[in-house]
Each structure stands twice: as structure tokens, then as C-alpha cells.
Amino acid sequence: MDRRVVKTRKEIRNALLSLIEEKDFEVITVLDITKRANINRGTFYLHYLDKYDMLEKYEQELFEKLESVALAYLKDIDTVDKFLQTRYPTVVHLLYCLQEEKELLSILLKTRGFFSFQDRLKNTFAYMFKNNAPSIVSDHQFLYPVDFIPVFASSTVISVIQYWLQSDMEQTPEQLAQMVIDIFFKGPLKAFGIPHSFN
């Protein structure tokens, strides 16, 4: 992509990021954005149809990056054990992607909202599981309804993202990924070191 295009889009993104700290997205106008970005309206419309199209493109951009990372770790998986073993590096790289796109993530969560973002995550997880999960996993006889997996995964991910943002990303992606994987595989009680005697 042309460096001038990259620069202009970054200026627009930064302008929106600063504006949503001051007022609700619904009352922000294209004129507000262009004034803050120090560009003219014609330049804005070369990139986006309107402010809603801009948000849609931001969301699409982020999810394409996340899907690319997730799909990279679904290649050459031929056993359930191998699938489980690759979950840690998958989570680490997904978190790095979110960390690199912290500003974009912040814009989407402040404008779209957590529930909208979670719904998009759920649909993405469901699609990827149905179309890209290795057959050794998708053919497995699950004890619970398989359509609960994307619901559980998306709600977990959105809660983790919320926690991470509120703590100003205090943990490294590796540390947070280890926390998530430990709780996911061991269960919350064992992961937190809480003794219990029931099954």
C-alpha cells in the first residue's frame, strides 16, 4: 500500500481515537474527523463512504488479521493431542496481534461495544471450527453440543481482552496466554490452586 495512503488512514484513525474520548461516536461527524486529522473531506471520502463504512473496514481489518493467525496454527494437525498442543502458541500470537492493534481494538470496543464484538467473534469461531478445524477434531464425539464451543470461546476471549485492556496490558502475551491455557485445560479450581475433593 502507498505510504501516503497508510499515513492518511493513520491520521484518520488517530483523529477518531481522540474524538471518541471526548464524545459519543453517534454525534461525531465526518467534518469533526477531518478537522482533527487536518485533512479535507474529499480526502476522507477517497478512503471511506462514511463514518460507518470506516468502522466496518476497521473491524474487517482486525478480524482478517486474527483469522490469519488462527488459521496458521490449524495446518498439518492430524491428532487431537497436536491440536491441543498448538493452542498456547495460537493464543500467544493472537494476543500479540491484539497488542499491536490496541488502538484499533479500542476504537471498535468503544463504538461497536463488547457485545457486538463478542457476537462477531462467536460467528468467526463457529465458521472457522466448521470449515477449518482438522477432521480429527471436528469428527470427535463431543459430550456437549458442539455449537456451545464458539459461544464459550468468544465469551472467554472477550472477558480476557476486557481484563487485559483494563489492566493496561500489564501481562505479556505469553503470561496471559499461559493463564488462559492453564484455566482452560486444568479447570479454574486446579489452575488457581484451590484444593477440592469432588469430581
Side-chain angles (χ1 to χ4, degrees):
M1 188 183 294
D2 188 287
R3 282 184 295 179
R4 289 170 297 180
V5 172
V6 172
K7 181 175 181 294
T8 300
R9 289 186 178 178
K10 185 172 180 58
E11 288 169 347
I12 292 172
R13 182 188 296 189
N14 289 340
L16 178 59
L17 189 63
S18 66
L19 284 166
I20 58 176
E21 293 293 334
E22 301 169 10
K23 50 188 174 180
D24 189 79
F25 176 74
E26 290 303 322
V27 300
I28 295 173
T29 65
V30 170
L31 183 60
D32 291 331
I33 297 170
T34 56
K35 280 185 175 180
R36 186 65 58 91
N38 198 28
I39 60 173
N40 60 54
R41 287 168 60 112
T43 300
F44 177 92
Y45 289 118
L46 286 175
H47 299 274
Y48 309 107
L49 297 174
D50 52 33
K51 66 178 186 178
Y52 300 103
D53 177 59
M54 175 181 62
L55 272 192
E56 185 64 35
K57 284 185 167 63
Y58 284 169
E59 188 172 80
Q60 188 64 29
E61 178 186 339
L62 180 60
F63 274 89
E64 283 178 0
K65 290 179 179 179
L66 294 175
E67 287 176 30
S68 176
V69 170
L71 289 174
Y73 286 92
L74 287 176
K75 295 177 181 176
D76 304 319
I77 303 294
D78 53 10
T79 68
V80 172
D81 281 346
K82 190 179 288 187
F83 175 79
L84 296 177
Q85 288 166 6
T86 56
R87 293 314 86 201
Y88 172 75
T90 303
V91 175
V92 169
H93 283 85
L94 285 172
L95 290 172
Y96 267 114
C97 182
L98 291 172
Q99 190 178 57
E100 290 168 3
E101 296 294 344
K102 182 180 178 181
E103 291 179 353
L104 182 55
L105 179 64
S106 180
I107 288 173
L108 291 174
L109 292 178
K110 288 177 180 177
T111 53
R112 297 288 205 193
F114 279 96
F115 289 113
S116 174
F117 196 79
Q118 180 178 335
D119 195 54
R120 177 71 183 265
L121 271 178
K122 181 187 69 177
N123 293 335
T124 299
F125 286 154
Y127 177 83
M128 289 178 63
F129 189 84
K130 180 180 179 180
N131 295 282
N132 301 103
S135 59
I136 193 72
V137 175
S138 57
D139 293 342
H140 183 73
Q141 296 300 308
F142 292 93
L143 296 177
Y144 299 111
V146 71
D147 60 357
F148 183 68
I149 293 176
V151 174
F152 178 76
S154 61
S155 62
T156 301
V157 168
I158 201 70
S159 296
V160 169
I161 291 172
Q162 200 170 8
Y163 166 81
W164 203 30
L165 286 174
Q166 288 173 348
S167 64
D168 199 27
M169 296 188 168
E170 182 180 349
Q171 295 82 11
T172 66
E174 289 84 0
Q175 290 171 329
L176 191 59
Q178 192 61 61
M179 290 163 60
V180 171
I181 294 299
D182 277 353
I183 294 170
F184 187 78
F185 287 137
K186 297 177 182 178
L189 293 180
K190 187 174 181 181
F192 282 100
I194 301 172
H196 62 89
S197 58
F198 53 87
N199 293 321

